[in-house]
Amino acid sequence: MSFDDLSSSFAELSFSVPSFSTAEPGDGQRWTTWPATTPTERGPRPHPDWLITSAGAIDTELGVVKTGKEADVHLIERAVPDEPAQRVLLAAKRYRDAANSDFHRSARYQEGRRMRNTRDSRAVARSTAYGRQVSAGRWAYAEFETLSRLFTLGLPVPYPVQVHGTELLMELIGDGVEAAPRLAQARLTVAELASCFDQVADAMRALARAGLAHGDLSAYNLLVHHGRVVVIDLPQVVEVVSNPGGLDFLQRDCTNVCDWFTRRGLERDAGELFGELVAELY
């Protein structure tokens, strides 16, 4: 083949040049924090199909979902610019440090737990600025680890996407940008109430089989989404046996739940439920 023929052949070839997005985060945006996390700070595998792991994704703040005594939950859109299919809404739970938190009962929940890092432990005990930040991060990591464990066991909890510092990113339970209502806010028929109680009791039994109690269970940290009950707010989950107040927490969960349903006209016995859960523990 002559040089002219070779040149002509190359001219006929079509080359695909990769295109790169020139988008940059604007106000209320940041690059995705996914690449900054380690495998142990990411949710259980297999990752759900909707999860976006692209390093080119941008997180956009869309507002506050709810405020709480120890953390606020924000609505985040994680999306890849110029790729409409690569978009998901997430709930970002951001823990405040002890100086800006109203959560003053933490010591009782943490009995039986140990900190591996002695420097962190000393800083928390002395309530230094660093210690307060460590404490906030501990709650975020504790909830992430609990959600990961419970999701793997098949309990009705949001999928934990990742934890990074004092922020826990998780599946948004709801439709579109609207979070699902809490049980306390849901308008339910008697039949729907009965179904919700059965689901709550089943979740409590599953927790007990794992040796756990929610520790702060009420109609305000249970979501109802298309008839399905989802358990949220899990940083304080208690190991019933190792925590000296474990059975007290378990009994209080039973009382809170049964009293709420009873006040709504569906009479349920807290003592009976507590006995069932203790049997699951042992």
Side-chain angles (χ1 to χ4, degrees), residues 102-181:
D102 295 326
F103 193 54
H104 301 304
R105 296 177 290 124
S106 63
R108 286 196 66 206
Y109 292 105
Q110 295 183 78
E111 291 186 75
R113 300 183 189 177
R114 294 182 179 179
M115 292 186 69
R116 296 179 184 177
N117 189 310
T118 55
R119 173 175 174 262
D120 289 352
S121 181
R122 288 194 300 269
V124 169
R126 293 171 183 168
S127 194
T128 64
Y130 172 72
R132 291 193 295 270
Q133 190 73 4
V134 168
S135 185
R138 284 179 70 192
W139 285 111
Y141 276 79
E143 182 158 23
F144 172 78
E145 289 171 357
T146 298
L147 282 171
S148 297
R149 178 180 177 185
L150 299 185
F151 185 87
T152 301
L153 290 174
L155 271 78
V157 297
Y159 177 80
V161 172
Q162 66 179 72
V163 62
H164 184 61
T166 59
E167 179 186 80
L168 167 62
L169 275 178
M170 55 191 151
E171 173 188 7
L172 176 71
I173 306 298
D175 296 308
V177 297
E178 295 293 325

Side-chain angles (χ1 to χ4, degrees), residues 44 46-53 85-88 151 159:
H47 296 317
D49 294 338
W50 50 261
L51 184 61
I52 294 175
T53 60
Q86 290 286 292
R87 175 182 178 272
V88 67
F151 185 87
Y159 177 80

Side-chain angles (χ1 to χ4, degrees), residues 32-43:
T32 172
T33 52
W34 178 266
T37 58
T38 65
T40 59
E41 295 171 325
R42 297 170 181 172

Side-chain angles (χ1 to χ4, degrees), residues 4 18 25 55 114 132 145 158 190 197 243 260 273 276-277 281:
D4 288 340
R114 294 182 179 179
R132 291 193 295 270
E145 289 171 357
V190 173
F197 176 82
N243 188 301
W260 187 87
L273 179 58
E276 293 176 7
L277 299 185
L281 281 169

Side-chain angles (χ1 to χ4, degrees), residues 17 30 43 76 96 106 110-111 161 189 208 228 240 246 248-249:
V17 179
R30 69 186 183 192
I76 297 289
R96 296 189 292 272
S106 63
Q110 295 183 78
E111 291 186 75
V161 172
T189 65
R228 177 175 177 256
V240 178
D248 293 336
F249 283 119

